[in-house]
Amino acid sequence: MILITGGLGFIGTHTTRALLDLGESCVLVQRRTADVPGAFADEAGKRVFVEQADLTDQAALLEIGQRHRITGIVHLAGSMPWPPGANEPVEGARKAVASLLNVFQAAQEWQVSRLGLASTIGVYAGAEADGPLREDVPLPMTSGHPIPAFKKIGELMAGHLARTTGMDAVTYRIAAIWGPLGHAPSPFFAAPQLVHAAARGTVPDLSTLRGGAHAGNGTDLCYVKDCGRAIALLQLAGTLRHRVYNVASGRVTPNSEVIAAIRKAVPGARAGLPEGRDPAAQDVCLDITRLRADTGYEPAYDTERAVADYLAWLRAGNDR
């Protein structure tokens, strides 16, 4: 039975679905009270269980292990002082570090076979490489945003604890994820806004983007169903040869490709962007050689299939 922190969130929901499809059962941990969602209703009380616990409360987290035989952990919950203003800075940092340490404590006490930890493509900001970014590229010690800053802290702490305890702890550096349940608008890339606008028949609002709102810009877009399946494969793999894995599509998807897929699915969609490139935006691509070699993973959703699936979900009444 795999415990997933943030198991009812964006990536967590799709990771749960992938683990269920691979024959696992799951305990989904949320800070707020929640019921088993409709998508898992047939599995409620059989292979899907929802537990409420604040990860900063070690006793509450460990108590879950008295009710369920946990064999693995996928830690996806956002353990960082974010968004701004949610906590006083020092207290926010204390909670972020405490949450991660409590998850490690639970993994050690439950003697799980593997602990998976979510990191982000953002840790590569400023890294220098020719071609796709590999997991062994040196990372800058600076960060312009709290999310990659605390993910770097988490990666260093995970590496230390894995070495000193002998625990099998694996970090996932997750690319730009989009699809059902995802945030729209996104401050980091245009695809969610473009698809939501096409589903509504409106002009996309890209005012929240930090940069890259041009047709020629892109990033490593990974559809959320592929992301969930990759994480599930990493969790259940018999042997993993590395401590860090990129979870991505392995290619740059330019905005122009997303727009073309939208216009094919929704003729007349007002999905245009300025031509050319924003020179300040960096098109990042992650190397997924390790992921492919150790799990057999291949992305199942190209841009056209992803756009069509996302639009179908939105048109089914899920736009928000």
Side-chain angles (χ1 to χ4, degrees), residues 7 18 36 55 77 89 94 102 109-110 117 123 141-142 159 163 187 193 213 223 233 254 273 297:
V36 175
L55 297 182
R94 180 180 291 111
N102 286 344
E109 292 201 12
W110 299 336
L117 303 157
V123 300
M141 289 298 292
T142 57
R163 286 189 301 272
Q193 287 93 305
Y223 198 56
L233 290 171
L273 289 176
Y297 165 85

Side-chain angles (χ1 to χ4, degrees), residues 141-155:
M141 289 298 292
T142 57
S143 180
H145 193 278
I147 292 177
F150 276 81
K151 292 302 185 184
K152 287 181 182 180
I153 292 169
E155 287 196 23

Side-chain angles (χ1 to χ4, degrees), residues 299-319:
Y301 287 82
D302 61 14
T303 306
E304 284 191 8
R305 186 184 181 196
V307 165
D309 186 78
Y310 200 175
L311 283 169
W313 182 80
L314 291 169
R315 287 168 168 169
N318 297 299
D319 197 356

